[in-house]
Amino acid sequence: MEPVCLVELVSNSGTLQVNPAALDLLRHLAQPLHVLAIFGPCGTGKSFLMDRLAGQDKGFPRSSGIWMWCLPHPAQPDQALVLLDTEGFPEQEGDETKLSRLFLLNVLLSSVFIYNTRGEGDPQRQLERLTFVRDLPRVVRVLDEYTWENSFLLSSVLPDFAWCLRDVVPDPSLDEVLEAMGHDLDSALSSPQDSEDSLASCIQRFFPCQKLFRFCSPRADGGHGEPPSPADQLHPTFQEQMRRFKDYVFSRSPKTMAGNREVDGEFLAAFLERVVDLLSRDEPILLSEICSGLQRECVVPLQGSRPVPPVLTQAAPGTAQPGAMEEPMCLIENRPGRELQLNQGALALLQSVRQPVVVVAIVGLYRTGKSYLLNRLAGKDRGGFSLGSTVQSHTKGIWMWCVPHPCRAGHTLVLLDTEGLGDVEKGNTKNDAWIFALAVLLSSTLVYNSMKTIDHYALEQLHYVTELTERIKVKAVGGGGRQEGQDSAEFVSFFPAFVWAVRDFTLQLELDGREISEDEYLENALKRRKGQPEKLDLPKKFLRQYFPSRKCFVFDCPAQCRDLSRLEELPEEALSREFLEQAHGFCRHIYQHAGTKALPGGHVLTGTMLGNLAVTYVDAIRSGAVPCMESAVLALAQIENSVAVGEAVAVYEEQLARGATLPTETMLELLELHAQCEREALQVFMTRAFKDEEQQYQQQLKDRLDSKRAELCCRNEQASSDRCLAVLQELSQELEERICEGSYSVPGGYQRLLDDQREMVERYWLVSGKGIMAAEVLQQFLKSKETAAQAVLQADQSLTDRQREIEAERARAEAAELEAQLREEMQAKTEQLLQDQERSHQEHVQQLTARMEEDRRQMLAEQQRVLDLKLKEQERLLREGFRGEAAGLEKELQKLRDEMCRSRRSEPCVLF
């Protein structure tokens, strides 16, 4: 097809309207859509760039509004490519309302949003023309209410952001810098002085991925403007830059809506109509409401937004899956002079992981080989986490790598590499303790990496453990600082397993003349000795209190000293055999024993939930507060439970669409279909929801499913009525013609009319598929024919007055009999509906009780685990002579035993 105007401006009113012909073209696209939209000032070559993406020398007209070009995707045969070219806005201030609406349409419709400007001038000033970005959280909402989650959730529904700087004069030094940065937009523009409200910060926060592309002049002669020559005569540098740009935009994911569900043209057309209507009325765009409405109308099923969203198909082990990454990304940035900040692109990738996650974080001093160890866990000999080869710390912040778990199908291994602690070049090390605390909060296994031996110096460097209670709160009550009123057992239920990795270990594992294991070596090093100064004893004390589950691995030096600077390049045969065996043992332990990240009570986390926790914790740190684990879990539960409701309703509708053939012959058949769909929806809700202690979200689900049942009954009755009327109209056509022709207006005509009508009714009852309204529709039909029948009766000269009265009485008796039959059917329907309501209530109670019993079982298992670990710690304290601390620990143990007794005695409490 040729380009067609999709959205045009009505000149007399200034409003936008959609071209119906373009919508029809869009609706015919049944494949997933890859939508590229371009936006920017006039005269910057937007149409020229889009023509090149279409593989044409010329195509898009230079006209107002938004023009659409639908093409086959050049790299993905199963997708359709949709290019949107938008009129340019003037360099000076123009109609800001129109520009804002055009910008919003581009952003909401596209999978890649391209901002196109000239290369000359101050880039910051050019970026400021996109001031509309700041209004996104106010105008476009994912959740019903305007909450802090809404701003964060926008990144789950907005497109990738690509900025094209055109006609840039080649600058080799700048090209080298940009190439080193990987064309990263944020690195190119941001500065330490940027505020949270700057355009660069807003783009980074709202758009999941940002890229910068620079183009020289396309003219072979180096001049400005668009060349009239064909593509093969363009400037060679421009052709190479264009190739890179195409590779990037065509490799991005297709357009998704609310929950990472790919959409087709039918859905996008309906979505566009809704958005334009809302824009014309200056109303907020509530995506959850739009998608919920379209979900019932369009073929493509969409669910609530992320971390509102959705069950995605889990990929088989070793195949591509949501969140799988070819290389690590920085998840939490730690820039000099600035607060910790989440990288929205990495966060979006983490949130796309719907599988349970096993999270392994590594911490330790800088330049101790942490990154190399994680690369081994990722199964990479080369590439991966950056190693560096100098005395400078290489990793900044927390970097993330999501890979398929090598041993657990349906699980994702999330590796977190933290910047080195104690870097002398930092100047300000206040974020070190927060980096350590975040590694503890986010991981299910924490690896502490140190060099040479576990001695006083190594333990001293682990002083961050002693600060954890100042950096982390378990309970929401009380202020910040050390949580004196909370036992270490409460922290243990949240904290990860602890693994100490000792690198370049040269000692013999012997103690008092006998060979010992690595674990025994660690426990001996953590043994506390009477009379030792308390300050020196604190790391041991807190490490044992908060990480009772411990493991130790020692590693020989991997290679000769002269080769350590190029360790990543060395083949395995050049590495120490002992080191390789130790590394294999370490990886095997992590793969087999590192637990899935879970909340107290055993609720397993997915990547989506882990991303939400990261947002909560980082936001708390940035606000100057102490991260509270209980508050974070409650906030996460609210988000997840809202998603669970929407997801369950979507499953109900999906199952109903598969199994419903309306009308059903009986009400019981319909209610059985509803019950089956409700049962599966409730199972989905129970699987995802947690901490719904007052059962308010389950009540929301029940109310919505009750509403779905009422809607289903109405649809069934309407389908039955339509079917019955169609049958009656067909069967009565000949009868109607005879009445109109006067065929019954003869002596004996009334009896003939009755005979023909009875025959028609008999044939009506023989027709199948009429549904539950058959009798009622027939009654209404016969009642509508009574006037004509009475006229024929009165006109029949062969009947006496007495016979007419008898016939009239007979007709009334038949009508009364049919009326009684209808009342009985209505009473039966009412009783069946009441029985189904009771069944529904019992189904909810049964599944809720089973879930609460499972939660109680998991809670008891968790409490028993903590109790066993604490008992072992008490035994160690007694052996070491710390009877006072052992007695103090007895209070925690008794508290745990009391909680376990209450858990065993408690009965499930159903509130609705």
Side-chain angles (χ1 to χ4, degrees):
M1 60 165 281
E2 295 297 322
V4 60
C5 183
L6 178 64
V7 178
E8 54 191 348
L9 180 67
V10 181
S11 57
N12 57 352
S13 63
T15 59
L16 301 176
Q17 71 176 17
V18 185
N19 179 7
L23 284 182
D24 288 341
L25 289 172
L26 192 58
R27 290 191 181 101
H28 281 84
L29 299 179
Q31 315 101 305
L33 303 184
H34 188 46
V35 187
L36 309 181
I38 195 164
F39 189 75
C42 295
T44 54
K46 300 189 307 301
S47 300
F48 177 80
L49 194 67
M50 298 300 274
D51 290 343
R52 264 50 196 179
L53 289 178
Q56 301 294 323
D57 293 333
K58 190 173 183 180
F60 278 109
R62 279 53 169 173
S63 299
S64 62
I66 300 178
W67 285 69
M68 177 182 71
W69 200 349
C70 301
L71 302 158
H73 195 291
Q76 301 292 336
D78 60 335
Q79 297 177 19
L81 178 65
V82 178
L83 303 177
L84 301 180
D85 186 22
T86 304
E87 66 175 275
F89 55 80
E91 291 290 348
Q92 304 302 321
E93 298 297 326
D95 185 345
E96 295 302 309
T97 299
K98 182 184 78 169
L99 292 178
S100 174
R101 290 175 176 177
L102 290 175
F103 168 78
L104 284 168
L105 287 177
N106 275 270
V107 165
L108 292 175
L109 295 177
S110 62
S111 48
V112 178
F113 174 80
I114 303 167
Y115 182 48
N116 192 78
T117 66
R118 291 288 186 189
E120 64 268 8
D122 182 4
Q124 289 282 5
R125 289 182 61 86
Q126 296 182 26
L127 194 63
E128 285 296 326
R129 290 303 307 273
L130 274 184
T131 183
F132 321 110
V133 175
R134 293 192 181 97
D135 292 333
L136 278 172
R138 178 181 57 82
V139 181
V140 181
R141 301 183 188 176
V142 179
L143 300 177
D144 292 354
E145 298 179 357
Y146 183 52
T147 59
W148 67 268
E149 293 101 334
N150 185 69
S151 177
F152 158 66
L153 290 176
L154 274 177
S155 65
S156 69
V157 296
L158 295 187
D160 294 342
F161 184 97
W163 187 6
C164 293
L165 287 174
R166 305 290 297 282
D167 294 350
V168 176
V169 177
D171 183 343
S173 61
L174 182 57
D175 290 342
E176 185 176 343
V177 172
L178 286 173
E179 190 66 33
M181 291 188 302
H183 300 276
D184 182 68
L185 175 62
D186 182 64
S187 301
L189 291 181
S190 60
S191 65
Q193 289 74 36
D194 280 347
S195 67
E196 284 299 304
D197 193 42
S198 70
L199 258 299
S201 297
C202 289
I203 289 173
Q204 183 190 36
R205 187 162 67 251
F206 298 145
F207 293 89
C209 187
Q210 316 94 35
K211 286 290 183 180
L212 177 67
F213 292 91
R214 301 169 69 249
F215 294 87
C216 69
S217 170
R219 298 179 65 94
D221 57 8
H224 291 286
E226 298 171 10
S229 53
D232 57 359
Q233 296 181 21
L234 298 176
H235 194 290
T237 303
F238 178 85
Q239 292 186 49
E240 175 61 21
Q241 293 165 338
M242 191 68 204
R243 182 191 63 78
R244 293 182 184 178
F245 179 61
K246 284 184 176 181
D247 288 345
Y248 173 77
V249 296
F250 289 151
S251 68
R252 309 311 293 170
S253 300
K255 178 64 181 173
T256 59
M257 282 284 186
N260 278 350
R261 294 293 184 93
E262 297 173 356
V263 301
D264 60 8
E266 181 183 359
F267 178 87
L268 199 65
F271 178 79
L272 172 60
E273 287 185 298
R274 298 284 177 88
V275 171
V276 168
D277 177 61
L278 291 171
L279 288 175
S280 66
R281 292 185 276 124
D282 290 324
E283 294 184 9
I285 299 170
L286 182 56
L287 294 180
S288 60
E289 183 177 299
I290 295 175
C291 291
S292 177
L294 295 182
Q295 187 178 24
R296 296 187 293 268
E297 302 171 15
C298 295
V299 175
V300 178
L302 296 184
Q303 297 174 349
S305 67
R306 212 178 34 123
V308 128
V311 175
L312 295 183
T313 303
Q314 294 183 349
T319 63
Q321 63 187 35
M325 303 164 61
E326 295 182 359
E327 59 185 7
M329 291 181 67
C330 184
L331 175 65
I332 299 175
E333 300 171 348
N334 184 20
R335 300 182 187 176
R338 301 182 67 176
E339 296 175 333
L340 298 177
Q341 181 171 316
L342 279 160
N343 178 346
Q344 297 300 319
L347 182 62
L349 279 173
L350 178 60
Q351 295 223 316
S352 72
V353 178
R354 312 298 178 208
Q355 298 178 340
V357 289
V358 176
V359 189
V360 180
I362 192 165
V363 297
L365 297 182
Y366 75 108
R367 307 307 308 129
T368 55
K370 302 188 304 299
S371 301
Y372 182 79
L373 209 54
L374 283 190
N375 288 339
R376 302 289 301 191
L377 280 176
K380 299 290 184 180
D381 296 328
R382 292 172 175 79
F385 290 107
S386 176
L387 302 186
S389 57
T390 69
V391 296
Q392 289 181 311
S393 173
H394 224 244
T395 303
K396 299 298 181 184
I398 298 180
W399 284 64
M400 174 188 73
W401 199 357
C402 300
V403 297
H405 198 289
C407 297
R408 299 182 198 171
H411 286 66
T412 294
L413 179 62
V414 179
L415 303 174
L416 300 179
D417 189 15
T418 65
E419 70 176 78
L421 305 174
D423 185 357
V424 295
E425 293 188 357
K426 287 182 183 177
N428 180 5
T429 59
K430 69 173 185 177
N431 282 343
D432 275 4
W434 285 127
I435 292 289
F436 185 88
L438 285 169
V440 170
L441 288 169
L442 296 177
S443 63
S444 51
T445 295
L446 181 72
V447 180
Y448 180 67
N449 197 73
S450 69
M451 299 293 288
K452 303 298 183 181
T453 183
I454 302 178
D455 55 14
H456 167 69
Y457 175 75
L459 287 165
E460 191 177 57
Q461 298 307 310
L462 201 53
H463 64 88
Y464 301 103
V465 173
T466 68
E467 303 171 12
L468 282 176
T469 52
E470 298 175 355
R471 303 283 176 176
I472 298 171
K473 287 197 301 184
V474 175
K475 301 291 185 182
V477 294
R482 193 180 300 276
Q483 304 299 297
E484 298 292 352
Q486 300 179 134
D487 342 39
S488 59
E490 294 177 317
F491 287 92
V492 169
S493 63
F494 280 91
F495 279 11
F498 184 88
V499 175
W500 194 318
V502 187
R503 310 293 293 278
D504 297 354
F505 185 76
T506 57
L507 303 178
Q508 294 294 320
L509 285 173
E510 291 184 0
L511 181 65
D512 298 332
R514 68 178 181 88
E515 187 174 337
I516 61 173
S517 67
E518 295 159 303
D519 292 343
E520 289 174 318
Y521 170 65
L522 172 62
E523 294 309 315
N524 183 67
L526 296 181
K527 184 180 294 185
R528 299 173 60 193
R529 292 167 175 80
K530 294 286 288 184
Q532 192 171 20
E534 183 180 4
K535 182 178 180 182
L536 300 179
D537 211 28
L538 281 179
K540 295 181 182 180
K541 175 182 177 180
F542 282 95
L543 186 62
R544 286 169 36 159
Q545 275 188 357
Y546 298 118
F547 299 97
S549 174
R550 299 182 293 272
K551 184 75 179 171
C552 181
F553 290 90
V554 299
F555 299 84
D556 285 9
C557 187
Q560 307 236 350
C561 290
R562 66 174 181 272
D563 294 327
L564 292 179
S565 62
R566 57 187 189 91
L567 187 60
E568 189 177 13
E569 304 171 7
L570 295 179
E572 283 216 351
E573 53 268 21
L575 299 177
S576 159
R577 178 179 300 176
E578 290 78 8
F579 173 81
L580 287 176
E581 290 177 356
Q582 293 159 345
H584 290 158
F586 169 77
C587 292
R588 184 168 56 251
H589 170 81
I590 294 297
Y591 295 153
Q592 294 177 357
H593 299 289
T596 305
K597 179 66 176 175
L599 301 174
H603 191 79
V604 173
L605 294 188
T606 62
T608 302
M609 300 169 70
L610 183 67
N612 289 340
L613 279 182
V615 170
T616 303
Y617 292 142
V618 172
D619 282 352
I621 294 171
R622 288 168 60 86
S623 68
V626 176
C628 174
M629 291 182 283
E630 182 182 58
S631 298
V633 170
L634 291 176
L636 180 62
Q638 290 178 1
I639 295 174
E640 283 295 301
N641 293 342
S642 295
V643 176
V645 172
E647 191 173 281
V649 173
V651 167
Y652 174 91
E653 293 178 340
E654 184 178 346
Q655 295 299 316
L656 186 63
R658 291 178 181 175
T661 302
L662 302 183
T664 59
E665 289 297 330
T666 64
M667 173 63 79
L668 185 59
E669 182 183 345
L670 184 74
L671 293 178
E672 287 175 350
L673 174 62
H674 164 76
Q676 178 184 350
C677 297
E678 182 182 36
R679 191 174 301 112
E680 297 194 25
L682 191 53
Q683 289 173 355
V684 169
F685 173 82
M686 289 299 179
T687 300
R688 184 156 192 173
F690 70 102
K691 276 197 170 298
D692 185 18
E693 293 173 354
E694 296 183 358
Q695 295 144 40
Q696 65 181 87
Y697 291 96
Q698 188 170 354
Q699 184 63 56
Q700 287 180 19
L701 175 62
K702 189 175 186 306
D703 291 343
R704 292 186 65 177
L705 293 181
D706 287 347
S707 176
K708 292 291 180 184
R709 177 181 55 199
E711 179 184 329
L712 178 61
C713 289
C714 290
R715 287 170 50 200
N716 190 52
E717 290 179 358
Q718 187 61 52
S720 177
S721 296
D722 293 343
R723 168 66 172 159
C724 293
L725 284 174
V727 170
L728 286 171
Q729 287 173 0
E730 180 180 352
L731 294 177
S732 65
Q733 183 174 356
E734 186 176 351
L735 185 66
E736 292 286 346
E737 291 175 354
R738 290 175 181 172
I739 291 174
C740 293
E741 293 170 354
S743 300
Y744 299 113
S745 300
V746 295
Y750 181 69
Q751 188 59 48
R752 287 177 54 197
L753 173 62
L754 292 181
D755 293 341
D756 290 346
Q757 190 166 278
R758 288 192 186 97
E759 181 185 358
M760 182 203 70
V761 171
E762 290 172 358
R763 291 169 61 196
Y764 171 78
W765 286 118
L766 291 175
V767 176
S768 61
K770 296 187 299 299
I772 63 175
M773 298 295 289
E776 185 173 341
V777 172
L778 178 61
Q779 180 204 34
Q780 294 172 354
F781 178 82
L782 294 178
K783 188 175 291 186
S784 69
K785 304 303 178 185
E786 286 180 355
T787 302
Q790 284 296 319
V792 171
L793 176 61
Q794 297 301 323
D796 192 339
Q797 300 298 321
S798 65
L799 299 176
T800 64
D801 291 342
R802 178 57 183 163
Q803 288 175 321
R804 291 191 182 95
E805 290 177 6
I806 292 173
E807 289 297 331
E809 183 63 31
R810 183 194 55 76
R812 285 192 292 271
E814 289 180 353
E817 182 181 354
L818 188 54
E819 184 72 31
Q821 178 185 345
L822 289 175
R823 282 197 299 270
E824 290 179 4
E825 290 184 3
M826 184 62 67
Q827 181 64 28
K829 289 179 186 178
T830 301
E831 291 177 358
Q832 288 172 341
L833 282 171
L834 290 174
Q835 291 172 3
D836 189 73
Q837 289 177 3
E838 178 60 23
R839 177 214 54 81
S840 174
H841 177 75
Q842 293 303 323
E843 182 72 37
H844 278 262
V845 170
Q846 179 183 349
Q847 291 207 30
L848 176 60
T849 303
R851 172 61 187 271
M852 295 174 77
E853 288 289 352
E854 176 63 19
D855 288 347
R856 179 167 63 174
R857 187 192 65 78
Q858 291 182 347
M859 181 63 71
L860 282 168
E862 174 68 21
Q863 290 170 337
Q864 186 64 54
R865 183 186 73 87
V866 175
L867 180 64
D868 292 342
L869 292 171
K870 287 296 180 181
L871 284 170
K872 291 181 181 178
E873 179 60 24
Q874 187 183 47
E875 292 174 4
R876 292 191 188 98
L877 288 172
L878 289 172
R879 284 198 306 267
E880 294 166 7
F882 294 89
R883 297 189 176 278
E885 290 188 20
L889 189 56
E890 180 62 33
K891 296 179 181 178
E892 289 189 31
L893 293 172
Q894 189 56 49
K895 182 179 177 181
L896 269 173
R897 294 187 186 102
D898 292 343
E899 289 178 355
M900 294 177 70
C901 287
R902 284 194 296 271
S903 295
R904 290 191 181 97
R905 290 195 304 264
S906 65
E907 293 293 332
C909 180
V910 178
L911 301 178
F912 66 90

